[in-house]
Amino acid sequence: MKGLVFHGPGQSSWQEVPDPGIKDPTDAIVRVDTVTICGTDLHILKGDVPEVRPGTVLGHEAVGEIVEVGNDVRTVRPGDRVLVSCITACGRCRYCREGAYGQCLGGGGWILGHLIDGTQAEYVRVPYADLSVHALPSTLPTEDAVLLADIFPTSYEVGVVNGRVRPGDTVAVVGAGPIGLAAIATARLFSPERIVAVDLAPARLEAARRLGADAVADPREAPDQLVADLTDGLGADVVIEAVGVPESFELCTRMVRPGGHVANVGVHGKPATLHLEDLWIKNVTITTGLVDTHSTPTLLRMAAAGRLPTSSLVTHTFPLDDMEEAYDVFSRAADTGALKVVLGGPRHDVVAVPA
């Protein structure tokens, strides 16, 4: 088969790789129909995630069809259409029993495209399949479903839930890429008074408006002052960091009100300064987190009912073989206007030949 292989910082290629096979009785093999590229994949290519070894197939989000299962798999079978979650869960360790699957101690957590070969390939082996894939309703389009593998549960759990968004809040989202936009969409479920989006790219700010942001700002134009003006000087109740650079994190700490929450979602490759000389007196809560995906079943039901604006985030589609072009387009989002790129399409395993 072919897969997108990481060869070290700044180096990757779409190339022949060995087919995956069942290694453990809890494994499933999924034929990949649709994948997407995550901002975390770009961080890996930049060298921000040193645990990823050269030779690893990247990717941790997919929709596909089960083609083989181990003897201990009970909840799915060959032929099932499934969502492959970005998080793998053993279901037995302390963290899994608490629903904190991202911290799994039994060989799970974020492993696909990180510690083992991932989903940006024609087939993928998924460990602990009973808890790590989700059967999909027939009414949910594939392009919508694949966005529930990572960005929607991540934004909802690590941003909105950890940030404790409540009715009437002022919510600021710093970074209007896919994660930030999904945070805006899911924050609206809690009826905040206003949502402020901050980003450098005008196209992303416009997308933020379409998804429900009430005000938008360029980070070079004092968005902390804008938030102060909108809140009579208080600051935002919840600030969600969705970029992953020191400047954006420090901006978040300037925008939050005393007693408010900063929810960090972005993947950081460099240290950020924590200005405790200003924050120690302000009763501010700062949370970090890796998504657990405990919300995925709920979000799947909401998407199937048309309650999540998933399709509006997809700006580019490619055949699976155009993986390298898709990475190029996604990595140059400021120039291309890319929000979420989706790869895949209909397969033709049987070709009808006219008589």
Side-chain angles (χ1 to χ4, degrees):
M1 71 170 187
K2 285 190 173 181
L4 195 281
V5 180
F6 173 68
H7 293 295
Q11 302 177 63
S12 63
S13 62
W14 178 250
Q15 64 182 68
E16 295 284 343
V17 292
D19 292 344
I22 297 292
K23 292 185 177 180
D24 298 302
T26 54
D27 290 349
I29 306 299
V30 177
R31 185 188 70 178
V32 173
D33 292 329
T34 304
V35 298
T36 184
I37 301 171
C38 180
T40 303
D41 297 320
L42 299 184
H43 280 284
I44 292 171
L45 287 175
K46 286 168 58 180
D48 291 345
V49 189
E51 299 87 0
V52 182
R53 296 182 178 180
T56 302
V57 175
L58 296 185
H60 49 268
E61 308 159 87
V63 169
E65 181 182 318
I66 301 284
V67 295
E68 187 179 1
V69 296
N71 291 334
D72 288 350
V73 175
R74 297 289 182 266
T75 61
V76 291
R77 59 185 181 182
D80 285 351
R81 176 173 170 260
V82 297
L83 173 71
V84 178
S85 175
C86 65
I87 297 297
T88 303
C90 78
R92 298 177 179 176
C93 71
R94 171 179 174 173
Y95 287 116
C96 284
R97 288 176 178 269
E98 295 173 352
Y101 306 129
Q103 305 302 323
C104 175
L105 297 172
W110 173 36
I111 58 173
L112 291 171
H114 180 206
L115 305 179
I116 67 173
D117 286 340
T119 59
Q120 289 171 3
E122 294 176 307
Y123 293 85
V124 60
R125 179 180 72 91
V126 182
Y128 301 117
D130 280 334
L131 283 173
S132 307
V133 302
H134 301 269
L136 290 175
S138 59
T139 56
L140 186 60
T142 295
E143 284 188 0
D144 292 356
V146 74
L147 300 189
L148 298 173
D150 185 354
I151 67 164
F152 269 91
T154 294
S155 300
Y156 176 67
E157 295 176 17
V158 185
V160 175
V161 175
N162 280 4
R164 299 184 184 178
V165 175
R166 296 180 299 181
D169 277 354
T170 292
V171 178
V173 178
V174 178
I179 288 287
L181 293 173
I184 291 169
T186 52
R188 292 187 67 207
L189 300 172
F190 292 84
S191 300
E193 179 181 1
R194 64 176 66 87
I195 299 175
V196 181
V198 180
D199 201 281
L200 288 165
R204 291 191 165 188
L205 293 178
E206 180 57 35
R209 284 193 182 276
R210 292 197 304 270
L211 283 165
D214 302 286
V216 299
D218 186 308
R220 296 165 294 194
E221 298 175 354
D224 47 342
Q225 186 58 53
L226 170 64
V227 169
D229 292 343
L230 290 171
T231 59
D232 296 325
L234 285 178
D237 300 283
V238 181
V239 187
I240 297 173
E241 199 285 337
V243 181
V245 298
E247 295 81 5
S248 61
F249 176 79
E250 292 168 33
L251 172 61
C252 290
T253 62
R254 296 197 302 271
M255 297 172 77
V256 69
R257 69 165 175 83
H261 290 75
V262 174
N264 183 87
V265 187
V267 177
H268 288 262
K270 295 180 181 178
T273 301
L274 181 63
H275 288 283
L276 284 176
E277 74 277 11
D278 297 323
L279 296 172
W280 73 271
I281 202 170
K282 293 185 176 179
N283 294 14
V284 170
T285 299
I286 298 173
T287 56
T288 66
L290 176 66
V291 64
D292 293 313
T293 66
H294 59 74
S295 68
T296 300
T298 298
L299 294 173
L300 279 170
R301 292 195 302 272
M302 294 180 67
R307 302 289 186 177
L308 293 178
T310 48
S311 58
S312 61
L313 295 182
V314 178
T315 54
H316 296 73
T317 57
F318 299 87
L320 199 60
D321 283 337
D322 288 351
M323 185 71 69
E324 292 176 338
E325 180 183 354
Y327 260 89
D328 177 63
V329 168
F330 187 61
S331 67
R332 295 186 298 107
D335 300 321
T336 63
L339 293 177
K340 205 64 176 167
V341 303
V342 169
L343 299 97
R347 292 176 177 268
H348 302 284
D349 295 330
V350 178
V351 179
V353 180

